[in-house]
């Protein structure tokens, strides 16, 4: 059988993992919404100006309820005659008391972005 101390230890481990998942999951989902919006804007971006691309991202952000990143935070440039939209931001997630988790999110329309 399992001793009471073993059950308590496993309960604590499961609680810590659950707290991390509950706090981190919304931020990761927001990152994927931003990445999807950036890729959609870049896909329709040929022949458009930078301000047009920023306005298009703002419309996507309004529909998807993205408040983490604004259109002014995007880096827009051309590479090999393709529009590339890149972004990066940090998110600090408070966990317990003065302990927090810092996640550095970055991505681009070329698919070279990653959550770190």
């Amino acid at each position: 059988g399992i001793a009471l101390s073993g059950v308590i230890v496993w309960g604590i481990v499961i609680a810590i993992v659950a707290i991390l998942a509950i706090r981190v999951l919304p931020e990761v989902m927001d990152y994927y919404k931003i990445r999807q919006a950036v890729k959609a804007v870049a896909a329709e971006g040929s022949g458009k100006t930078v301000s047009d691309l920023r306005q298009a991202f703002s419309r996507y952000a309004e529909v998807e309820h993205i408040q983490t990143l604004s259109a002014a935070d995007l880096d827009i440039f051309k590479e090999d005659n393709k529009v590339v939209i890149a972004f990066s931001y940090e998110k600090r997630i408070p966990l317990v008391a003065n302990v927090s988790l810092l996640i550095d999110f970055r991505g681009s329309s070329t698919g070279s972005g990653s959550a770190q």
Side-chain angles (χ1 to χ4, degrees):
I2 297 177
L4 180 59
S5 60
V7 171
I8 291 173
V9 168
W10 278 109
I12 291 171
V13 169
I14 290 171
I16 290 171
V17 169
I19 288 171
L20 278 173
I22 289 169
R23 302 262 176 138
V24 171
L25 191 61
E27 303 304 330
V28 172
M29 289 173 50
D30 198 32
Y31 164 75
Y32 282 108
K33 286 195 293 187
I34 291 169
R35 195 173 76 169
Q36 181 181 5
V38 163
K39 287 187 181 205
V41 169
E44 358 173 295
S46 64
K48 292 188 179 179
T49 64
V50 171
S51 63
D52 291 340
L53 294 172
R54 290 188 195 281
Q55 288 175 356
F57 179 80
S58 293
R59 287 191 297 272
Y60 272 97
E62 187 176 332
V63 169
E64 293 291 331
H65 304 291
I66 299 171
Q67 298 174 349
T68 306
L69 194 70
S70 69
D73 298 327
L74 300 176
D75 295 326
I76 302 172
F77 56 93
K78 275 196 159 189
E79 186 176 275
D80 298 330
N81 286 332
K82 289 184 178 180
V83 174
V84 177
I85 303 174
F87 64 93
S88 66
Y89 64 96
E90 292 181 346
K91 191 66 178 181
R92 186 175 305 272
I93 304 166
L95 297 176
V96 178
N98 62 347
V99 177
S100 60
L101 177 67
L102 179 66
I103 303 176
D104 181 21
F105 291 105
R106 57 177 78 116
S108 70
S109 61
T110 59
S112 63
S114 63
Q116 297 180 355

